[in-house]
């Protein structure tokens, strides 16, 4: 419980002063600075050993690994692009066979879209978000390390396909039926689907981490209206990831089930629908475009004002435009499907939304231009790349607006015009900002400046090369050249423009190469950067370059949007209260005002994220090989590793630390962080079920009658519903009892919920036994979707049972002993969610068909 | 007046958290509802190839779509008005207080979101007036 000692934080309100204009300089410091640095270093430093390398959970290490790995994928994808351009440099070339060309262009697209464009921004986010917020790490450091390892292994898994010469070969959006067994019998598309399933796990984990970090770990005083704009873009992106990833996950699971296990989601002859893939993929796919450029716009909004030497124009407008871009970006997916033959009324909303979204992008562009216009710009390399971004993004945005017009879209659909558009957007709005970010923040990460001269050369070569490569493609598209053709005839009239594009691609590559040389030169003989070489305004520049392991000796306080430009001393902490040197601690604050709310204990280094990621990746290999015993063993291993991960080792530390006093507030252990993570996980899982329900509806809408077979029996489903509702009620009753100290009741309730859950699973097994006599998952599309939805739910329930068993087994029933019993509360939240989903399943799969029958 | 509790209470009368939440959240929900319902009704009406849906004729479906758009627009305008009122009150009555700053910022965000999405909803509602429900352009 929070108690208050004078002077309290809220007392500041009385004087109407801005937060944290500290007036306590006369209070003597409790310990000397060298002591604090030494102590914090010993607490936060990861041992420089092999174990330390695998076990580190330091966000700076994880961020740099993300950056390095994603950049490597950029180079690999770039080499693939050059191979494609060599093939297309002249008509009737035979450098690549048609199949090799298919695999290379598919790998190029998949690598750039998934394994470079978003992860590189995750790298910046991982490194910068805690530093900009004034925190010492991300909200869930182990989850952070886990998301990196899964990302790495998913990429290795994808490229493993090359060793078998069976890389994905159906483009990055892998339309069915081209990707079903009949037209793609090898492992190619299995590698695609399974690696993306792993990738979605990584992205979802990262998204949860970013959201909780931004809402919970901001420096005291950093209210929503003082957050760096990078937080708005990264936060919006994280929300988009959380909401859109389930659609990709479901699409890939359907594809893999169809390919490997004989279901019929996309098999038209058995009631499936090929457009279901497109709906699910693009529901994910278009938000993904914003996921891979919004953080980049946030980076520009951070660095451009620094070089314009003034605060950004229209902070609130830019923040709102960023959020609205994300929101409207969720409602434009159908514009990728204008050519599939929908009615114009159905398309009109998506056309309007697609055009609306350009308004929000324009707001940001005008804010950047206004900032430059009214500032005193200093033309350093990061600003050059930022300007290149604005120019390219404007062109990409404008030719995006015209493709939102349905008739025009039909004309240029699947031509090089679209290739040009997407590269203008993706290179313009991702690669240029990323390079701007490298030149701007690498001095912070490495402690050394990059060369300005080489940087300028790199920029101009990249900018000119990029335009020479991709502008001619607009004309090629208008001249009728289809995308993905592996060659063309000499008389087509496309040769000159293709040669120009190839020359541009090589120029672009040389520009990138110069920046790599610049990086290596800087590492060897770059000028020392110092803490703030650009005289920037955000908190990361108040740390050393590179930052110390603990980042901030004292958790900073913030009194404006530009902490380093105002005259407030962020780290002034005369009583030493914000040093938080009793362990790996950082401060948790309220989401709206940034008031100190609790202290967060960060976990020690551990190799469990690495092991879990390895086991899950191996699980995918087992699925690829259709080895069920191996998959089962690896799944059990994963669950055991997860239990080790979640086992509460920090209870002793919590007892030892007790309460801490910060700025007159007595702060307790941060209990809400875990609950926040659980709520977000539930949101993601809920979306997964929404997509499954949508698939059920969508397949039914296209069928002459639905269900295709006998509807399932209602009485058993209602009995199962009663069992689940009873389990939820009893768990809730136990939790309430615990609040009044009735531990026996709580234990009994958890046990009863477990038994009721097991009872439900037995009933479901009985239902399956009965139902399987007439309907198999492989019978038709209805059987496929029925068993998929119900078995997904059963799997969630099994996980819920395991979570409750875990809670019961915790040492000395710790969570049942100590208020507010968060592990039990979190497990109960998940349980209620799973029960709640069953209500919808009963309504949709069991009740509705009977009502329809009567009607 | 000087007591922090009274500052919060006074702030509550100027901009209640519920009203602020309504101002910020209602327009996106209205916009999403318009899109999803519009899409669902149009797809459902045209599923069998004919422009009708049960007892509703083509004109009936268009009227239904228009109703959805008008309702979404009304909710958004109400949210916009609430946000604008909060913004003006907070700007006049609580200059410089941290809580007032945060609430004022949220109210401004509400005004911007409400304005943008009111235009978006109007724009997306126009086709119900102008085009045939199941029309094809080719």
């Amino acid at each position: 419980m929070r108690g208050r000692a004078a002077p309290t934080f809220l007392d500041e309100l009385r004087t109407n002063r801005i937060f944290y204009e500290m007036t306590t300089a006369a209070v003597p410091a409790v310990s000397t600075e060298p002591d604090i640095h030494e102590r914090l270093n010993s607490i936060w430093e990861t041992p420089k050993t092999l174990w330390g390398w695998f076990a580190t959970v330091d966000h700076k290490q994880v961020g740099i690994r993300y950056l390095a790995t994603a950049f490597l994928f950029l180079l690999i994808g770039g080499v693939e692009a050059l191979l494609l351009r060599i093939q297309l440099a002249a008509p009737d070339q035979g450098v690549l066979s048609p199949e090799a060309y298919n695999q290379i262009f598919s790998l190029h697209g998949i690598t750039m879209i998934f394994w470079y464009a978003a992860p590189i921004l995750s790298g910046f986010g991982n490194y910068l978000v805690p530093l900009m917020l004034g925190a010492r790490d991300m909200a869930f450091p182990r989850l952070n390390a886990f998301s990196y390892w899964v990302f790495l292994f998913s990429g290795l898994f994808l490229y493993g396909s090359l060793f078998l010469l069976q890389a994905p070969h159906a483009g990055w959006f892998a339309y069915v039926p081209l990707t079903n067994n009949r037209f793609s019998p090898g492992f190619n598309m299995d590698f695609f689907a399974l690696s993306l399933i792993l990738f979605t796990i990584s992205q979802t984990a990262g998204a949860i981490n970013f959201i909780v970090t931004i809402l919970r770990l901001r420096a005291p005083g950093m209210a929503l209206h003082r957050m760096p704009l990078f937080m708005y873009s990264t936060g919006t992106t994280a929300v988009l990831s959380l909401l859109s990833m389930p659609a990709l996950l479901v699409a890939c699971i359907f594809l893999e089930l169809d390919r490997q296990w004989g279901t019929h989601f996309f098999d038209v002859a058995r009631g499936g629908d090929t457009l279901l893939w497109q709906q699910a993929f693009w529901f994910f796919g278009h938000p993904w475009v914003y996921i891979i450029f919004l953080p980049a716009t946030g980076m520009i909004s951070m660095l451009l004002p620094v070089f314009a030497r003034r605060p950004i124009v229209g902070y609130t407008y830019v923040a709102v435009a960023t959020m609205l871009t994300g929101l409207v970006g969720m409602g434009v997916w159908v514009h990728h499907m204008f050519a599939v033959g929908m009615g114009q009324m159905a398309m009109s909303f998506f056309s309007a939304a697609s055009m609306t979204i350009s308004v929000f992008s324009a707001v940001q562009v005008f804010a950047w231009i206004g900032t430059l216009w009214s500032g005193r710009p200093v033309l350093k390399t990061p600003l050059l790349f930022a300007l290149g971004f604005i120019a390219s993004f404007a062109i990409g945005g404008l030719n995006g607006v015209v493709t939102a017009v349905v008739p025009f879209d039909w004309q240029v659909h699947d031509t090089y015009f679209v290739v040009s558009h997407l590269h203008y957007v993706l290179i313009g709005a991702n690669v240029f900002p990323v390079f701007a970010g490298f030149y701007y923040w690498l001095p912070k990460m490495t402690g050394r400046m990059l060369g300005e001269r080489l940087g300028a050369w790199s920029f101009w070569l990249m900018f000119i090369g990029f335009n020479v490569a991709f502008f001619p493609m607009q004309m090629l598209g208008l001249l009728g050249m289809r995308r993905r053709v592996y060659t063309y005839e000499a008389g087509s009239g496309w040769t000159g423009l293709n040669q120009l594009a190839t020359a541009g691609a090589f120029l672009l590559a040389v520009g990138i190469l110069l920046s790599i040389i610049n990086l290596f030169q800087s590492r060897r003989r770059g000028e020392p950067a110092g803490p703030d070489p650009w005289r920037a305004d955000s908190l990361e520049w108040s740390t050393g370059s590179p930052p110390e392991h603990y980042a901030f000796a004292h958790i900073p306080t913030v009194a404006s949007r530009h902490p380093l430009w105002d005259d407030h001393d962020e780290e002034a902490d005369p009583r030493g209260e914000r040093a938080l040197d009793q362990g790996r601690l950082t401060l948790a604050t309220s989401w709206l005002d940034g008031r100190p709310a609790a202290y967060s204990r960060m976990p020690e280094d551990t190799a469990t994220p690495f092991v879990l990621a390895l086991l899950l990746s191996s699980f995918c290999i087992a699925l690829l090989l259709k080895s069920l015993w191996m998959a089962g063993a690896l799944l059990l291993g994963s669950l055991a590793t997860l239990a080790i991960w979640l086992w509460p080792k920090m209870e002793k530390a919590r007892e030892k630390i007790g309460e801490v006093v910060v700025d007159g507030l007595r702060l307790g252990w941060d209990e809400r962080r875990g609950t926040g993570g659980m709520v977000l996980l539930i949101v993601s899982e809920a979306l997964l079920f929404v997509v499954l329900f949508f698939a059920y509806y969508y397949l039914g809408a296209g069928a002459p009658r639905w269900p295709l077979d006998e509807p399932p029996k209602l009485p058993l489903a209602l009995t199962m519903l009663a069992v689940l509702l009873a389990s939820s009620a009893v768990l809730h009753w136990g939790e309430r009892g615990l609040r009044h100290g009735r531990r026996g009741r709580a234990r009994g309730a958890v046990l009863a919920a477990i038994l009721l859950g097991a009872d439900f699973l037995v009933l479901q097994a009985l239902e399956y036994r009965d139902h399987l006599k007439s309907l198999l998952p492989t019978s038709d599309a209805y059987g496929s979707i029925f068993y998929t939805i119900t078995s997904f739910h059963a799997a969630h329930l099994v996980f819920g049972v395991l979570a409750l068993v875990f809670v019961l087994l915790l040492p000395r029933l710790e969570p049942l002993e100590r208020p507010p019993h968060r592990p039990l509360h979190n497990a109960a939240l998940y349980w209620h969610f799973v029960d709640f989903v069953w209500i919808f399943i009963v309504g949709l799969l069991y009740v509705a068909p009977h009502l329809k029958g009567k009607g | 007046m000087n007591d922090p509790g009274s500052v919060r209470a006074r702030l509550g009368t100027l901009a209640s958290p519920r009203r602020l939440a309504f101002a910020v959240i209602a327009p996106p929900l209205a916009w999403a509802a318009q899109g999803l319902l519009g899409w669902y009704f149009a797809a459902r009406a045209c599923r069998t190839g004919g422009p009708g849906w049960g007892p509703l004729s083509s004109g009936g479906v268009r009227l239904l779509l228009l109703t959805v758009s008008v309702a979404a627009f009304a909710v958004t305008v109400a949210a916009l008005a609430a946000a604008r009122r909060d913004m003006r009150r907070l700007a006049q009555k609580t200059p410089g207080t941290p809580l007032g700053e945060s609430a004022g910022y949220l109210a401004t965000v509400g005004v911007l979101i409400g304005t943008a999405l009111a235009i978006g909803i109007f724009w997306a509602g126009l086709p119900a007036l102008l085009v045939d429900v199941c029309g094809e352009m080719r």
Side-chain angles (χ1 to χ4, degrees):
Chain A
M1 290 296 291
R2 185 190 306 165
R4 291 199 174 89
T8 65
F9 183 81
L10 286 175
D11 284 343
E12 292 294 310
L13 291 174
R14 291 184 186 154
T15 56
N16 281 357
R17 282 208 302 264
I18 298 174
F19 283 177
Y20 286 103
E21 284 186 356
M22 302 299 287
T23 54
T24 50
V27 182
V30 291
S31 55
T32 56
E33 284 301 301
D35 280 350
I36 290 175
H37 287 285
E38 206 172 298
R39 203 158 49 247
L40 286 171
N41 244 336
S42 70
I43 290 169
W44 287 89
E45 189 174 11
T46 300
K48 289 187 175 66
T49 59
L50 188 63
W51 178 85
W53 198 84
F54 284 108
T56 184
V57 294
D58 180 355
H59 74 98
K60 299 182 285 297
Q61 290 292 326
V62 174
I64 287 174
R65 286 175 188 185
Y66 256 114
L67 289 171
T69 311
F71 194 78
L72 192 65
F73 278 120
L74 171 75
L75 297 182
I76 294 170
V79 169
E80 288 158 358
L82 292 179
L83 285 174
L84 300 176
R85 287 316 316 169
I86 290 169
Q87 167 67 18
L88 292 175
D92 300 317
Q93 288 247 78
V95 178
L96 295 172
S97 67
E99 175 59 19
Y101 188 88
N102 286 348
Q103 292 192 17
I104 296 290
F105 84 66
S106 300
L107 268 182
H108 165 72
I110 294 164
T111 305
M112 293 301 205
I113 297 271
F114 295 107
W115 274 271
Y116 155 71
I120 198 109
L121 300 173
S122 294
F124 279 109
N126 266 298
Y127 195 95
L128 295 171
V129 164
L131 295 179
M132 284 183 183
L133 294 180
R136 284 176 173 157
D137 209 322
M138 297 283 281
F140 306 108
R142 285 180 293 187
L143 192 65
N144 203 28
F146 171 72
S147 72
Y148 167 73
W149 289 119
V150 176
F151 156 64
L152 175 68
F153 291 140
S154 64
L156 293 177
F157 183 81
L158 175 75
Y159 270 86
S161 63
L162 266 185
F163 292 104
L164 300 175
L165 297 178
Q166 293 197 42
H169 56 179
W172 73 274
F173 40 81
Y175 278 177
V176 288
L178 192 60
T179 50
N180 68 19
N181 269 335
R182 186 175 164 205
F183 300 106
S184 183
F187 279 133
N188 313 60
M189 299 318 294
D190 298 315
F191 276 110
F192 171 86
L194 290 168
S195 59
L196 276 181
I197 288 171
L198 275 177
F199 184 78
T200 58
I201 295 171
S202 162
Q203 279 291 314
T204 305
I208 290 172
N209 219 343
F210 278 124
I211 294 170
V212 179
T213 305
I214 291 170
L215 291 181
R216 192 67 180 158
L217 297 189
R218 300 200 304 268
M222 190 183 278
L224 275 190
H225 60 281
R226 290 183 189 144
M227 270 200 323
L229 285 168
F230 186 60
M231 297 306 131
Y232 279 98
S233 58
T234 303
T236 304
T237 298
V239 173
L240 283 179
S241 277
L242 200 68
L243 299 181
S244 63
M245 276 292 149
L248 178 66
L249 181 63
V250 168
C252 288
I253 289 173
F254 282 178
L255 181 63
E256 199 52 14
L257 286 173
D258 266 17
R259 290 178 53 79
Q260 295 256 34
W261 305 98
T263 56
H264 301 284
F265 294 103
F266 307 121
D267 179 1
V268 178
R270 299 283 188 94
D273 194 330
T274 52
L275 287 185
L276 177 61
W277 170 267
Q278 293 195 31
Q279 295 281 6
F281 188 86
W282 288 120
F283 183 78
F284 143 80
H286 201 81
W288 188 251
V289 172
Y290 298 103
I291 288 168
I292 62 187
F293 101 83
L294 275 181
T297 64
M299 285 158 60
I300 295 298
S301 294
M302 294 302 294
L303 66 87
L304 189 137
V306 171
F307 293 99
R309 297 281 178 254
R310 60 148 295 152
I312 194 160
V313 168
Y315 169 95
T316 310
Y317 293 93
V318 174
V320 172
T322 303
M323 291 187 286
L324 282 174
T325 305
L327 171 76
V328 179
M330 290 293 297
V332 298
W333 80 93
V334 170
H335 77 207
H336 291 272
M337 301 165 57
F338 281 159
V340 303
M342 286 175 286
Q344 56 185 343
M345 181 68 84
M347 288 192 290
S348 61
F349 175 80
F350 295 93
S351 181
S354 305
M355 287 186 244
T356 307
I357 211 163
S358 59
V359 176
F360 309 131
S361 302
V363 168
Q364 297 191 62
V365 169
F366 284 119
W368 295 323
I369 291 172
T371 306
L372 286 172
W373 193 269
S374 56
R376 290 171 287 117
V378 181
L379 204 62
K380 297 283 187 183
T381 309
L383 185 60
L384 276 178
F385 276 101
L387 294 173
F389 150 71
I390 294 173
S392 317
F393 182 55
I395 297 172
L398 284 173
N399 60 28
V401 174
V402 294
T403 50
V405 178
V406 181
F408 184 84
D409 182 80
W410 285 346
Q411 294 305 313
V412 296
H413 185 78
D414 256 347
T415 69
Y416 263 84
F417 187 91
V418 177
V419 178
S420 168
H421 161 65
L422 73 93
H423 281 90
Y424 263 97
V425 174
L426 295 184
I427 295 183
N430 182 291
V431 175
F432 282 117
V434 160
F435 273 75
F438 275 142
Y439 276 90
Y440 183 62
W441 278 295
L442 269 179
K444 172 58 57 189
M445 298 174 191
T446 65
R448 295 194 176 270
M449 302 296 289
L450 289 154
E452 274 296 313
R453 192 184 166 89
L454 211 49
W457 269 99
S458 171
F459 165 72
W460 284 112
L461 283 174
M462 282 176 69
F463 187 71
I464 294 168
F466 162 69
N467 281 290
V468 171
F470 293 103
F471 200 81
M473 289 186 191
Q474 302 204 16
M475 290 176 263
L476 281 170
L478 292 173
L479 289 173
M481 183 169 171
R482 316 288 304 169
R483 67 195 297 194
R484 296 174 176 172
V485 289
Y486 93 104
T487 190
Y488 50 90
E489 290 175 5
S492 60
W494 303 337
T495 309
L497 289 169
N498 269 306
Q499 283 169 344
L500 203 56
T502 301
F506 275 88
L507 213 54
L508 176 60
V510 173
I512 292 174
L513 194 62
L514 283 188
S515 275
I516 296 171
I517 293 169
N518 200 352
L519 173 66
F520 282 108
Q521 279 191 356
S522 145
R523 295 288 289 160
R524 291 179 66 184
R525 49 173 195 269
E527 191 187 327
D532 187 7
W534 310 112
R535 283 186 282 162
D537 59 334
S538 42
L539 280 178
E540 76 274 23
W541 299 103
S542 68
T543 64
S545 297
E548 296 76 12
H549 300 291
Y550 48 86
F552 302 96
H554 303 264
I555 300 296
T557 58
V558 168
S560 76
R561 282 176 190 159
H562 312 283
L564 271 59
W565 284 351
D566 61 23
D567 53 6
H568 169 73
D569 183 0
E570 287 72 37
E571 295 213 28
D573 183 22
R575 286 185 293 235
E577 290 175 346
R578 276 183 279 105
L580 294 178
D581 53 358
Q582 299 94 318
R584 285 195 173 183
L585 304 185
T586 193
L587 214 51
T589 51
S590 61
W591 73 272
L592 179 64
D593 298 330
R595 282 181 296 117
Y599 68 87
S600 285
R601 171 74 157 79
M602 295 299 171
E604 303 297 326
D605 296 323
T606 166
T608 45
F610 169 76
V611 174
L612 184 59
L614 192 63
L615 287 171
L616 283 177
S617 309
S618 308
F619 173 71
C620 283
I621 295 173
L623 290 181
L624 183 77
L625 302 173
K626 291 179 83 170
S627 171
L628 284 181
W629 68 266
M630 192 171 145
L634 287 163
L635 197 60
L636 284 178
S638 302
L639 287 171
T641 310
L642 190 62
I644 293 169
W645 176 337
L646 294 173
W647 203 258
K649 302 175 201 69
M650 292 193 283
E651 294 298 315
K652 281 183 188 166
R654 173 186 184 161
E655 281 166 13
K656 196 173 151 193
I657 296 167
E659 286 186 333
V660 300
V661 176
V662 174
D663 296 339
L665 292 173
R666 287 207 186 106
L667 304 178
W669 185 273
D670 183 15
E671 302 280 1
R672 291 191 177 177
R673 200 169 34 131
T675 304
M678 176 54 77
V679 168
L680 293 173
L681 176 68
I682 288 173
V683 168
S684 169
E685 297 283 285
L687 259 292
L688 184 105
F689 279 103
V690 167
V691 177
L692 286 171
F693 295 155
F694 170 80
Y696 179 88
Y697 164 77
Y698 194 82
L699 290 171
R705 60 183 174 82
W706 191 258
L708 294 170
D709 310 274
E710 275 296 300
K713 294 189 176 68
L714 198 51
L716 189 58
L718 292 176
T719 311
M720 289 156 78
L721 177 63
V723 168
L724 280 190
L725 291 180
S727 73
S728 265
V730 80
L731 199 56
H732 181 65
W733 174 74
E735 252 202 299
R736 282 192 68 177
L738 196 57
R739 279 184 218 148
H740 300 104
R742 294 177 188 166
R743 292 167 199 153
R745 180 167 126 183
R747 282 195 201 96
V750 172
L751 199 58
I754 292 169
L755 291 174
L756 285 167
D759 185 30
F760 175 92
L761 292 170
V762 170
L763 290 174
Q764 182 141 55
L766 290 175
E767 190 210 11
Y768 276 6
R769 196 187 61 176
D770 183 41
H771 213 50
L772 283 168
K773 288 174 190 163
S774 56
L775 179 71
L776 292 171
T778 52
S779 300
D780 53 35
Y782 172 71
S784 303
I785 190 71
F786 174 83
Y787 285 106
T788 301
I789 290 177
T790 49
S791 59
F792 259 57
H793 177 266
H796 280 72
L797 196 72
V798 169
F799 192 74
V801 167
L802 291 176
L804 290 180
V805 170
F806 179 81
V807 167
L808 269 188
L809 291 179
L810 284 174
R812 291 185 295 113
L813 300 178
E814 192 71 56
L816 298 185
E817 301 289 343
R818 185 198 302 278
H821 323 290
R822 284 291 160 176
L824 174 60
H825 179 65
N826 294 344
L829 270 180
Y830 187 81
W831 187 266
H832 296 319
F833 157 71
V834 175
D835 294 356
F836 188 65
V837 168
W838 186 250
I839 297 174
F840 287 92
I841 293 177
V842 168
L844 191 68
L845 270 65
Y846 293 85
V847 178
H850 289 279
L851 291 178
K852 207 170 156 186
K854 281 177 188 168
Chain B
M1 162 62 202
N2 285 341
D3 175 54
S6 74
V7 172
R8 279 177 180 269
R10 188 168 142 256
L11 202 64
T13 61
L14 295 173
S16 80
R18 277 187 191 175
R19 202 163 57 224
L20 274 178
F22 171 70
V24 174
I25 295 169
L29 290 180
W31 175 82
Q34 182 207 23
L36 289 174
L37 290 175
W39 185 45
Y40 175 78
F41 290 146
R44 186 83 196 233
C46 305
R47 188 195 299 174
T48 54
W53 180 19
L56 292 178
S57 64
S58 172
V61 174
R62 282 172 74 167
L63 193 63
L64 185 64
L65 293 172
L66 265 180
T67 310
V68 169
S69 296
V70 169
F73 189 76
V75 169
T76 303
V77 170
L80 176 59
R84 188 172 144 72
R85 192 173 52 185
D86 283 353
M87 191 175 83
R88 293 179 68 176
R89 281 183 181 180
L90 287 164
Q92 287 166 3
K93 303 272 173 69
T94 61
T97 62
L99 278 174
E101 271 186 52
S102 298
Y105 178 72
L106 278 188
T108 311
V109 167
V111 167
L112 294 175
I113 288 179
T115 307
L117 291 182
I119 296 168
I121 288 170
F122 175 75
W123 198 347
L126 280 180
L129 279 176
L130 302 175
V131 296
D132 184 20
V133 177
C134 302
E136 291 282 346
M137 278 184 271
R138 55 176 171 178

